[in-house]
Amino acid sequence: MLQTLVENSIQHNAIYERPVEVSLFLTKEVMDNETWLYCCVSDTGKGFSDAVMDAILHDREIYRDGRRHIGLSNLKERLKLIYGNDATFQLSNMADNYGAIVEVRIKLSRIKSPNEP
């Protein structure tokens, strides 16, 4: 998951006229009496277009420059297949076209340790 998000930040959002930064933030958080893994990947690029955010929100394919792009769609679908309603996937932009933000939450009770069957 992290590899897909970092690659997308560099490949699709980077603006090389300014320093390119990709930030990763992982933590546990409690919401509605449930403990979640919170993962946020942000960058200093141009952000997501309205078309990309709408396509992800409505589970449609993403096309850009005549090519089909599947990274974010596949990630969202994989989270849904593995975790169902115990995972969330959200895209947003920082103010003034200064970067994209992807937030993923997974309910910790759904994540198995390596020793569990």
Side-chain angles (χ1 to χ4, degrees):
M1 174 179 79
L2 297 177
Q3 179 181 353
T4 297
L5 295 175
V6 171
E7 281 180 1
N8 272 4
S9 288
I10 295 168
Q11 185 175 9
H12 299 296
N13 284 325
I15 296 175
Y16 297 105
E17 291 79 35
R18 62 184 182 220
V20 177
E21 294 180 23
V22 178
S23 299
L24 172 62
F25 181 74
L26 295 167
T27 191
K28 282 194 316 187
E29 65 180 17
V30 177
M31 291 184 346
D32 302 325
N33 294 321
E34 295 282 352
T35 305
W36 299 75
L37 169 66
Y38 172 76
C39 173
C40 178
V41 177
S42 61
D43 61 51
T44 58
K46 57 190 171 202
F48 294 111
S49 69
D50 291 339
V52 167
M53 289 200 296
D54 188 62
I56 292 295
L57 180 65
H58 295 100
D59 297 323
R60 292 193 309 261
E61 294 182 340
I62 299 170
Y63 287 90
R64 192 165 96 186
D65 300 327
R67 292 181 41 218
R68 183 171 158 235
H69 295 268
I70 61 171
L72 294 174
S73 301
N74 281 353
L75 178 54
K76 182 182 177 187
E77 183 64 21
R78 204 168 40 236
L79 287 167
K80 189 185 307 180
L81 288 171
I82 295 170
Y83 300 107
N85 291 330
D86 292 335
T88 64
F89 181 82
Q90 183 176 353
L91 304 181
S92 60
N93 288 322
M94 292 184 222
D96 301 324
N97 291 330
Y98 201 80
I101 302 168
V102 179
E103 296 173 288
V104 175
R105 287 179 174 87
I106 302 170
K107 195 179 289 187
L108 281 178
S109 62
R110 290 292 308 267
I111 299 175
K112 294 181 179 181
S113 74
N115 298 330
E116 290 183 60

